[in-house]
C-alpha cells in the first residue's frame, strides 16, 4: 500500500521480528526505488536497514541485576518470543544470572507470542500458582505483562512486593496510570520517533554519513513492586 502511495520515506515498527518475514521483497522494493526507510523498536535481521532501538539486552539485564542486588536468587521471566525485543530481553536476563552465578531454571520461564497473547492472563495465573513456593521475583517483558502479573497475584492472594517482587519494562503510559507504581525501565518512545523522523528528513535532503543504527540506554525507574530480601 505504501509503495502504491508513492511515499517519500517510511518509518516501520516491525512485528514478529524474531521470525522469518515473508514480506522481505517489499522492503527490498523500497531500496530498489531509493525510498529511505528506517525501523524503530526492532528490526529484521535478514535486512541491512538503519534502526532506532532500546538496548533491550541491557534493559532486562538491569532489571534482573536490580533484583539480584535486592537479595533475590529465584527470579523468573515472562517474555514474548516472536519479537526481537523478547529474544534480547531473555538474553539480558540470562547474562545477569550468569554473572551472579545463579542457576537458570527453564521452569521459571513463561514464554508467549502474538498468537497466544489472548491466553496470557490465564497462563500467568497458572505459572504463578505452580511457582509460588519457589519464585520471589519476576522480570516482565513489558509493563503490560507486569500489570497482568499484578492482577493474577491479587486473584491468587499473593502479596506484592512482600511475597513477590515485579519489574516491568518500557515505563509506559499504562504503568504511569496504574493503581500501583510498577518498578520499570525507561523507554524513550518520543525521542525515538523524533530521531527516526529526523533521519528520514535528512536522508531526503541528501545528507550523508547518517547513523546506521542507534541504541538508547535504559534507566531504572523505582516503584513500589520490588522488596529487598533481608537474610537474617
Amino acid at each position: 500500500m505504501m509503495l502504491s502511495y508513492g511515499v517519500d520515506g517510511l518509518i516501520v515498527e516491525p512485528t514478529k521480528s524474531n521470525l522469518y518475514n515473508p514480506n522481505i521483497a517489499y522492503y527490498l522494493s523500497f531500496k530498489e526505488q531509493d525510498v529511505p526507510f528506517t525501523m524503530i523498536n526492532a528490526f529484521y535481521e535478514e535486512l541491512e536497514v538503519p534502526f532506532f532501538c532500546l538496548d533491550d539486552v541491557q534493559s532486562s539485564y538491569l532489571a534482573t541485576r536490580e533484583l539480584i542486588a535486592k537479595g533475590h536468587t529465584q527470579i523468573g521471566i515472562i517474555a514474548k518470543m516472536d519479537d526481537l525485543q523478547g529474544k534480547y530481553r531473555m538474553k539480558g536476563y540470562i547474562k545477569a544470572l550468569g554473572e551472579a552465578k545463579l542457576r537458570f531454571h527453564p521452569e521459571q520461564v513463561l514464554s508467549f507470542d502474538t498468537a497466544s497473547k489472548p491466553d496470557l492472563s490465564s497462563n500467568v495465573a497458572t505459572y504463578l500458582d505452580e511457582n509460588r513456593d519457589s519464585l520471589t521475583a519476576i522480570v516482565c517483558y513489558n509493563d503490560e505483562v507486569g500489570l497482568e502479573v499484578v492482577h493474577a497475584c491479587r486473584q491468587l492472594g499473593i502479596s506484592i512486593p512482600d511475597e513477590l517482587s515485579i519489574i516491568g519494562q518500557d515505563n509506559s503510559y499504562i504503568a504511569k496510570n496504574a493503581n500501583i507504581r510498577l518498578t520499570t525501565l525507561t523507554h524513550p518512545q518520543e525521542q525515538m520517533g523524533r530521531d527516526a523522523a529526523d533521519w528520514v528528513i535528512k536522508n531526503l535532503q541528501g545528507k550523508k554519513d547518517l547513523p546506521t543504527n542507534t541504541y538508547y540506554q535504559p534507566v531504572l525507574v523505582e516503584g513500589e513492586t520490588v522488596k529487598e530480601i533481608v537474610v537474617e
Side-chain angles (χ1 to χ4, degrees):
M1 187 176 67
M2 290 295 164
L3 279 168
S4 66
Y5 282 167
V7 295
D8 293 321
L10 199 63
I11 298 171
V12 179
E13 181 174 15
T15 184
K16 299 184 180 178
S17 49
N18 197 31
L19 302 178
Y20 167 70
N21 185 345
N23 301 316
I24 293 297
Y26 291 120
Y27 294 107
L28 294 178
S29 295
F30 277 108
K31 285 196 168 191
E32 289 166 5
Q33 297 177 29
D34 290 325
V35 176
F37 68 95
T38 185
M39 295 190 174
I40 58 172
N41 279 331
F43 54 92
Y44 294 116
E45 292 181 312
E46 302 95 324
L47 291 170
E48 289 196 15
V49 56
F51 59 79
F52 296 83
C53 293
L54 182 75
D55 188 337
D56 289 294
V57 174
Q58 183 71 359
S59 182
S60 203
Y61 170 78
L62 291 176
T64 310
R65 199 174 71 172
E66 169 69 8
L67 293 169
I68 293 169
K70 290 288 196 293
H72 295 272
T73 59
Q74 297 296 318
I75 304 167
I77 186 169
I78 302 175
K80 187 171 187 285
M81 295 310 295
D82 58 346
D83 283 336
L84 211 55
Q85 296 103 312
K87 172 184 173 180
Y88 289 154
R89 290 179 181 188
M90 176 71 78
K91 184 176 179 180
Y93 162 80
I94 294 170
K95 177 185 175 184
L97 290 183
E99 284 186 4
K101 293 182 170 51
L102 294 176
R103 187 178 172 189
F104 174 80
H105 295 278
E107 68 275 11
Q108 293 180 349
V109 175
L110 174 62
S111 62
F112 70 101
D113 56 22
T114 303
S116 64
K117 191 179 177 186
D119 301 319
L120 185 61
S121 292
S122 60
N123 290 340
V124 165
T126 301
Y127 166 77
L128 291 175
D129 197 37
E130 290 176 349
N131 290 280
R132 67 186 302 164
D133 294 329
S134 57
L135 287 181
T136 65
I138 297 177
V139 175
C140 297
Y141 171 69
N142 58 17
D143 296 335
E144 181 183 3
V145 172
L147 293 175
E148 285 281 7
V149 174
V150 170
H151 178 68
C153 283
R154 286 173 178 160
Q155 288 184 318
L156 294 167
I158 299 172
S159 176
I160 302 170
D162 292 332
E163 294 178 74
L164 187 69
S165 291
I166 300 168
I167 292 189
Q169 294 182 75
D170 294 344
N171 194 27
S172 62
Y173 175 81
I174 58 169
K176 293 174 184 175
N177 291 273
N179 55 13
I180 187 169
R181 284 190 301 110
L182 198 64
T183 299
T184 186
L185 280 296
T186 57
H187 187 295
Q189 298 100 327
E190 291 186 19
Q191 187 64 48
M192 189 180 289
R194 282 195 296 269
D195 291 347
D198 187 55
W199 184 92
V200 172
I201 291 167
K202 286 180 177 176
N203 194 295
L204 290 169
Q205 292 171 342
K207 294 185 179 176
K208 305 298 181 184
D209 299 323
L210 295 174
T212 54
N213 50 47
T214 302
Y215 282 106
Y216 302 85
Q217 293 305 308
V219 177
L220 184 76
V221 179
E222 291 191 12
E224 55 185 0
T225 57
V226 172
K227 180 183 178 180
E228 183 170 3
I229 293 180
V230 179
V231 179
E232 297 180 357

